[in-house]
Amino acid sequence: MPGCRSGRRFIAWAALTGVISGAVFLAVAELFALIFARTASPILAVGGFVIDIVPQPFKEFAISTFGEYDKIALLVGLGLAVVIASAIAGVLQLVRAPLGVIALVVAGVLSTAAIVTRAGVTPLAFLPPVLGTVAGSVIVTLLIRRLHSWRASALETRTDAAAAADLPENPAAPTGIGRRRFFALAAIAGASALVVGVASRAVTMAVGSVESIRSALRLPSPKTTVTVPEGAEFDIEGLSSLFTPNKDFYRVDTALTVPTIDPETWRLVIDGMVDQRVEMSFQDLLDMGLDEYAITLTCVSNEVGGELVGNAMWLGVPLRDVLKKAGVKSGADMVLSRSVDGYTASTPLSALTDDGLDAILAVGMNGEPLPLEHGFPVRMVVPGLYGYVSATKWLAELKVTTFAEDEAYWTPRGYSAEAPIKFSSRVDTPKLGAAVDAGRIPIAGVAWAQSVGIERVEVSIDNGEWMPVTMSTPINDDTWVQWYMEWDATPGTHYVAVRAVNKKGELQIEERAPIAPDGSSGWQRSLIRVT
Ligand SMILES: Nc1nc2c(c(=O)[nH]1)N[C@H]1C(S)=C(S)[C@@H](COP(=O)(O)O)O[C@H]1N2
Ligand SMILES: [Mo]
């Protein structure tokens, strides 16, 4: 059989092609699993499926043979199976395209099935295996095509050489080019798959392991709890709930990837203008005893009527007690808090040490440890100051210093070094621009004036007189209050405006201001269509 030896050689390269395509499949799937759905790793899902379907005696055999390495043995076994199956797919693609692609698609369908039938699956979990299949199929197609042209030129060369030596050109050239083109793509695809796959899996596992540490963590019960008074929350459709569920809580930070910190290794350093530098562990913090605090957080980037505000029940310790351990030197007027990712915030020292203010280091949020995106394991929460000057997440250091000496992340970027929250009010329902049916409907929303408290909220319709509304019983002066009024909505277009008065008797600022440099102001006016 002519070309048999070289044919065998190409079979080997086709097998390698298959393995590389399989690696591309898995690497792309791992990358998109990291982005869209952490549990959508094809290998792990298939592994989980195997564990689920393997009969009990076989499981016992595996455990008795491999002991605690049973899972690793399973993964190694799966890995070998993947290598062999993809090598076969590569050879199939060489011998009869598109059989190799079909084999990859079958693998894609099976792993998608394994993924979407797992417990706790998310809606986008099908994407990683599907995109992986597409990438793997493209690579196997391209590589095998290049392998074909290499082989064609190699065969030509042999035939030519056998026929006669009277060809003027150098016949080795096209063979060399074909070979180079194949190996170039194979090397790039193989190396990228290795780097992307290993890096994605490593990141997913780092996140996953801290997430599992977090979900296993049981915080001690609070020494003191917050009593939510009767009448603190109205039941009105479209009105923000009194406490914002963690999954709906706005998130603002500069972190490209969420820092993952094991509380075991977390340390807080308190240094700068202090009597003694102090280092605290997570346990040291818990040992101080935790208390509940209901505090509404607001972002400086919140526009009038915006959504960058949320209320939570925090669990934490007073910052003044933490700072006392280090002893603040006289002359200091600021604490520069630093996150593990380098972010810094400048908080006036007095906002952290005043007895009347509940500035805290928080470890819990709405009954659970802080979610990773909200600063796990420890963050600051300071009532009355915008988040960017006070609410440092993934906290690592408190440096006692002065405004003259130190500058925070946002200060050279167009935001004030000090930024008390401008108290504000918002309409939640009816929604701006929304069409509502004529009749008696509630107009309802929230208002906040952290550390001072809301005295009253007023609404004006179609530029008419300001009318008082019904307010919920506030939990404290640090949380927002809900408010509502009944309105006889008549057909047509109406303006609804809202404003608040704080407990100092100050009226919410009417003049509009942009968010930079120290927060927006203005009365919210919404246009409402009644039909
Ligand atoms: N480490 C770190 N902490 C941070 C920020 C940040 O960018 N990095 N942003 C701050 C800002 S601007 C706000 S408004 C709050 C938002 O907290 P949240 O994401 O938990 O709602 O976090 C603050 N803490
Ligand atoms: Mo913010």
Side-chain angles (χ1 to χ4, degrees):
M1 186 183 165
C4 185
R5 243 192 67 81
S6 90
R8 213 174 286 148
R9 176 162 57 118
F10 285 106
I11 295 275
W13 292 129
L16 177 72
T17 296
V19 174
I20 289 173
S21 309
V24 168
F25 174 122
L26 293 178
V28 169
E30 288 295 339
L31 177 65
F32 285 99
L34 175 60
I35 300 170
F36 294 120
R38 302 256 160 79
T39 54
S41 158
I43 284 272
L44 295 188
V46 171
F49 175 75
V50 171
I51 291 175
D52 292 348
I53 58 155
V54 152
Q56 192 56 29
F58 194 90
K59 266 184 211 164
E60 278 156 19
F61 164 79
I63 294 169
S64 64
T65 316
F66 300 111
E68 55 182 307
Y69 299 112
D70 60 334
K71 302 275 182 335
I72 296 181
L74 171 68
L75 288 177
V76 169
L78 268 179
L80 279 177
V82 168
V83 168
I84 294 168
S86 25
I88 293 174
V91 173
L92 284 177
Q93 180 74 5
L94 177 76
V95 175
R96 185 156 304 162
L99 276 187
V101 170
I102 290 173
L104 270 172
V105 169
V106 169
V109 169
L110 292 180
S111 51
T112 308
I115 287 167
V116 300
T117 52
R118 301 255 87 202
V121 68
T122 51
L124 290 180
F126 70 93
L127 263 181
V130 168
L131 295 174
T133 307
V134 172
S137 305
V138 168
I139 291 297
V140 80
T141 309
L142 290 180
L143 274 177
I144 292 294
R145 221 180 266 164
R146 289 188 179 195
L147 198 56
H148 274 304
S149 25
W150 170 20
R151 182 167 70 166
S153 57
L155 287 177
E156 223 169 80
T157 312
R158 287 160 59 88
T159 330
D160 293 349
D166 56 6
L167 267 178
E169 313 94 320
N170 175 6
T175 315
I177 289 175
R179 189 172 53 216
R180 273 202 297 280
R181 279 172 50 83
F182 171 77
F183 280 118
L185 183 59
I188 290 171
S192 328
L194 201 66
V195 172
V196 169
V198 169
S200 305
R201 178 99 303 260
V203 173
T204 307
M205 281 166 56
V207 174
S209 63
V210 173
E211 183 51 65
S212 59
I213 289 171
R214 176 188 170 271
S215 45
L217 189 66
R218 294 286 164 270
L219 295 173
S221 335
K223 294 182 289 162
T224 64
T225 56
V226 170
T227 325
V228 176
E230 194 84 17
E233 183 160 22
F234 297 135
D235 182 16
I236 296 174
E237 177 146 357
L239 173 63
S240 304
S241 54
L242 182 61
F243 288 99
T244 316
N246 289 351
K247 65 172 179 20
D248 302 331
F249 207 96
Y250 81 93
R251 173 185 167 198
V252 172
D253 53 61
T254 59
L256 191 58
T257 55
V258 176
T260 49
I261 306 157
D262 182 346
E264 276 295 318
T265 58
W266 177 86
R267 292 290 180 276
L268 173 65
V269 172
I270 308 156
D271 57 4
M273 299 169 68
V274 290
D275 297 332
Q276 54 178 17
R277 179 183 186 277
V278 168
E279 214 176 293
M280 290 182 78
S281 69
F282 191 66
Q283 193 58 48
D284 293 337
L285 205 62
L286 300 188
D287 289 346
M288 292 177 68
L290 304 178
D291 294 306
E292 274 188 350
Y293 299 87
I295 301 170
T296 297
L297 204 65
T298 310
C299 182
V300 70
S301 303
N302 193 47
E303 302 280 3
V304 170
E307 305 270 327
L308 300 181
V309 50
N311 185 43
M313 184 72 86
W314 309 96
L315 198 58
V317 304
L319 263 155
R320 75 180 89 81
D321 293 349
V322 173
L323 289 171
K324 242 175 239 160
K325 289 184 181 291
V328 171
K329 285 207 165 113
S330 65
D333 64 3
M334 187 255 268
V335 170
L336 189 77
S337 50
R338 183 184 305 275
S339 153
V340 295
D341 67 354
Y343 177 86
T344 50
S346 52
T347 314
L349 184 61
S350 57
L352 305 181
T353 51
D354 280 5
D355 276 339
L357 286 170
D358 284 333
I360 57 165
L361 288 187
V363 296
M365 181 177 184
N366 290 327
E368 23 175 303
L370 289 178
L372 298 196
E373 319 79 78
H374 294 292
F376 184 78
V378 181
R379 75 173 305 168
M380 291 172 53
V381 179
V382 181
L385 304 182
Y386 284 122
Y388 84 102
V389 289
S390 68
T392 303
K393 306 190 272 188
W394 315 292
L395 185 69
E397 184 198 355
L398 296 172
K399 181 186 178 193
V400 181
T401 177
T402 62
F403 279 103
E405 182 69 25
D406 276 298
E407 210 176 40
Y409 181 88
W410 283 110
T411 313
R413 293 174 169 85
Y415 286 86
S416 301
E418 297 191 51
I421 293 172
K422 295 177 184 171
F423 70 97
S424 194
S425 51
R426 179 178 87 188
V427 176
D428 285 346
T429 180
K431 283 261 168 287
L432 180 88
V436 294
D437 291 337
R440 203 167 169 75
I441 58 162
I443 300 175
V446 285
W448 56 91
Q450 292 93 321
S451 80
V452 177
I454 291 286
E455 177 66 34
R456 62 174 192 277
V457 175
E458 298 169 336
V459 164
S460 151
I461 292 169
D462 299 327
N463 296 317
E465 60 180 308
W466 289 94
M467 298 171 284
V469 301
T470 308
M471 263 173 47
S472 67
T473 311
I475 300 175
N476 57 32
D477 290 337
D478 295 335
T479 55
W480 62 16
V481 289
Q482 299 178 331
W483 59 265
Y484 82 96
M485 67 174 284
E486 293 290 343
W487 178 41
D488 287 313
T490 53
T493 304
H494 299 281
Y495 268 113
V496 173
V498 62
R499 68 182 192 186
V501 173
N502 73 6
K503 285 190 178 168
K504 289 183 187 164
E506 296 163 335
L507 181 63
Q508 184 180 334
I509 303 169
E510 179 176 11
E511 192 192 337
R512 293 231 150 216
I515 56 172
D518 61 358
S520 66
S521 66
W523 298 342
Q524 186 190 2
R525 277 159 63 88
S526 357
L527 186 67
I528 289 161
R529 274 185 299 121
V530 181
T531 52

